[in-house]
Amino acid sequence: MAEQLSGSDAPVVVVDVLGGDNGHDVVLTGIDLALAADPRVEVLACGPAQIVDVFASTRPRVQPLHATQNIEMNEHPASAVRAKKDSTIVVGCKAVKEGRAQGFFSAGSTGACLAGATLFIGRIRGISRPALCHVIPSPAGNVVMSDIGANADCKPEWLVQFAQMATVYAEKIVGKEHPSVALLNIGSEDTKGSQFAQECHQVLKDNLPNFAGNAEGGDLVCAKYDVVVTDGFTGNVALKTLEGTSKELLKAVKGVMMSNLATKLGALAMKRGLNGLKTRMSADTYGGAPLLGVNGVCLIGHGNSNPEAIKSGILATARMIEANLVEEIVKVVK
């Protein structure tokens, strides 16, 4: 167990102060928002001493964690993690490994976070490969998809573990009861897809009692299945396609609504409903993408995260700690 800041059983989250595209002030503001939203959360603010010491000095639930280096988005992830031993990502992951905290949150380089967590937090015993998980929000319901980019090339048996871990996340964090699992494929029939897809279908069918068959791309938005599993290459392409389509569609709808006085009045009348829909469809609700399969909670936020998104990421990390997500995964993955 972690050495708590207050001596209580409060969740302790390491926050990468230098992570993200918008500067450390945005991250620090997000920490303040998270502390205000949850009086139990405690933070190790990981970054340069001149930043984190001053910040922590006036906040009883924050301690500074010194790191002098930052891994930039354009650096080779594995090389940077090995070369920059005093980077915020490496120091933060080591703090989890050492038990000073139970979770790590960063809006920095996804690849570096993957490498850092795998190397320094370490995998859960028996896990072949950690997998990135993401909640796809839609008006029809939330869908948990894994892998979304950690493993571009996969073996069929890895997808069984991806599905098992994502099922635990869907139950404990997203609130799905008895979640169904489907394989992302190009058709619903068992014989559809590449040789790899067909092999995955068979091994999932043989090993998962909650396996419900193949899911097509359109099933992601209509939430026909609770968990959709795939290799990281396919999952990343599918996710980025959905995100890009949603962004452009919302821009187009906004353009229509602002086109003349009549449509502006209509938009004003619909404002509350539209805001509610925007909230339900926001990926910020779950704070980012958890890396499932490492021996500690690790959550990776969007690089362009604003203070609200940083807050959501910290609170989501704390929820996963309090839900004993790692321990629950250990129970089901053989």
Side-chain angles (χ1 to χ4, degrees), residues 292-314:
L292 305 180
V294 292
N295 201 22
V297 174
C298 178
L299 190 71
I300 306 170
H302 290 289
N304 64 348
S305 291
N306 59 26
E308 282 292 329
I310 297 293
K311 178 193 82 170
S312 295
I314 297 168

Side-chain angles (χ1 to χ4, degrees), residues 15-312:
V15 179
D16 177 4
V17 169
L18 299 184
D21 301 331
N22 300 317
H24 66 267
D25 286 338
V26 168
V27 179
L28 297 178
T29 301
I31 293 174
D32 276 336
L33 292 174
L35 294 173
D38 189 336
R40 298 186 67 251
V41 172
E42 298 179 352
V43 167
L44 291 180
C46 186
Q50 65 269 27
I51 296 174
V52 297
D53 285 356
V54 173
F55 182 75
S57 65
T58 57
R59 294 161 176 83
R61 287 187 285 140
V62 178
Q63 276 192 2
L65 182 62
H66 295 162
T68 60
Q69 297 173 304
N70 183 39
I71 296 177
E72 303 291 343
M73 294 290 189
N74 60 355
E75 293 186 76
H76 185 277
S79 298
V81 163
R82 290 188 176 93
K84 293 186 171 181
K85 299 297 186 182
D86 204 43
S87 65
T88 51
I89 289 174
V90 171
V91 172
C93 288
K94 284 184 175 180
V96 177
K97 176 68 173 180
E98 294 163 359
R100 299 181 62 187
Q102 306 105 323
F104 173 70
F105 171 75
S106 175
S109 164
T110 298
C113 289
L114 293 175
T118 302
L119 285 171
F120 298 108
I121 298 177
R123 287 178 286 172
I124 295 171
R125 184 183 298 274
I127 295 294
S128 299
R129 293 291 189 280
L132 273 176
C133 184
H134 186 80
V135 177
I136 300 173
S138 84
N142 295 320
V143 177
V144 177
M145 186 162 70
S146 183
D147 183 19
I148 60 160
N151 305 278
D153 297 301
C154 291
K155 296 180 180 180
E157 57 268 26
W158 296 356
L159 270 67
V160 174
Q161 292 188 338
F162 297 172
Q164 290 171 328
M165 295 189 292
T167 295
V168 173
Y169 180 75
E171 288 179 330
K172 304 300 180 182
I173 304 302
V174 184
K176 300 281 187 179
E177 292 186 10
H178 311 296
S180 59
V181 172
L183 171 69
L184 187 60
N185 208 334
I186 59 172
S188 59
E189 298 86 356
D190 295 5
T191 56
K192 286 288 188 177
S194 63
Q195 183 65 35
F196 172 73
Q198 292 178 44
E199 291 175 7
C200 289
H201 186 281
Q202 188 61 52
V203 74
L204 289 166
K205 183 178 179 181
D206 291 344
N207 290 279
L208 290 181
N210 57 335
F211 182 60
N214 289 333
E216 298 182 79
D219 295 328
L220 293 174
V221 176
C222 68
K224 185 177 179 180
Y225 304 99
D226 300 309
V227 174
V228 174
V229 65
T230 184
D231 62 275
F233 180 88
T234 304
N236 191 270
V237 171
L239 178 64
K240 295 292 177 60
T241 300
L242 285 173
E243 289 179 339
T245 302
S246 298
K247 183 178 179 180
E248 290 305 313
L249 182 60
L250 287 173
K251 283 171 58 178
V253 170
K254 184 177 180 180
V256 170
M257 289 185 165
M258 295 295 105
S259 60
N260 57 59
L261 180 59
T263 57
K264 287 179 181 178
L265 291 173
L268 183 63
M270 297 169 62
K271 184 177 180 179
R272 177 178 292 182
L274 290 172
N275 284 340
L277 178 63
K278 182 179 179 181
T279 299
R280 291 201 306 275
M281 294 185 66
S282 174
D284 289 344
T285 302
Y286 294 95
L291 180 63
L292 305 180
V294 292
N295 201 22
V297 174
C298 178
L299 190 71
I300 306 170
H302 290 289
N304 64 348
S305 291
N306 59 26
E308 282 292 329
I310 297 293
K311 178 193 82 170
S312 295

